[in-house]
Amino acid sequence: MNGGGPMDREDHGVDAAAVVRALVEARFRGDVTTTTALCAPDIVLRIEGSHEARGREGVAHLMEFNREVATNVRVEIHRVMASGDTVAMSRTMFLTINGQAVELSAGAFFTLRDGLVREWSDYLDMSEVARALGH
């Protein structure tokens, strides 16, 4: 990474790792405007085994739902690795649901197109969230 913003260019184009880092940070601080601006209009966000959101509007709706059920949300990004337009990330999310502190570790893959995230697939164990929601 060259230390600039997510749209700074390197020799091969957009810094995919920086775009993904900016997207994830915005998403978990609840910044819908920045999050959706970093998504392709036809983004597909999959939380494997749980949910799928399509398009910028779908991502915004998912963020609204999360805001309704979770508080004290923060994310810790551990690793970001990029190869061309494909990015892998490991992270931990910390949140409170119904008064219960929840810690979720996740692996994720992202695919960019024209400098925007086109696909986002999260892999995590949602059983802790289900328990906190009373399911």
Side-chain angles (χ1 to χ4, degrees):
M1 197 160 64
N2 57 16
M7 300 309 284
D8 283 354
R9 297 195 173 262
E10 296 179 345
D11 291 339
H12 63 277
V14 170
D15 183 341
V19 171
V20 166
R21 180 179 289 276
L23 171 70
V24 170
E25 289 172 347
R27 188 259 181 263
F28 286 100
R29 75 173 172 266
D31 181 346
V32 175
T33 301
T34 300
T35 300
T36 56
L38 293 170
C39 294
D42 58 345
I43 184 172
V44 177
L45 187 162
R46 290 182 190 86
I47 302 170
E48 293 298 330
S50 173
H51 188 79
E52 183 173 288
R54 292 184 168 274
R56 290 175 175 155
E57 185 175 298
V59 171
H61 285 301
L62 179 62
M63 291 177 70
E64 290 167 19
F65 171 76
N66 289 345
R67 191 173 21 250
E68 291 173 11
V69 300
T71 58
N72 303 318
V73 177
R74 71 180 179 87
V75 64
E76 184 177 310
I77 298 172
H78 306 294
R79 289 177 190 83
V80 181
M81 298 157 282
S83 178
D85 286 336
T86 301
V87 178
M89 173 185 282
S90 65
R91 67 179 192 276
T92 304
M93 289 93 46
F94 303 89
L95 51 146
T96 302
I97 300 173
N98 290 333
Q100 296 180 49
V102 177
E103 182 176 319
L104 296 168
S105 295
F109 291 96
F110 304 81
T111 304
L112 280 72
R113 183 184 66 224
D114 299 326
L116 299 173
V117 176
R118 168 61 180 92
E119 293 181 46
W120 175 352
S121 297
D122 266 355
Y123 299 88
L124 62 154
D125 181 358
M126 293 292 286
S127 61
E128 193 75 22
V129 171
R131 274 195 292 280
L133 289 171
H135 298 286

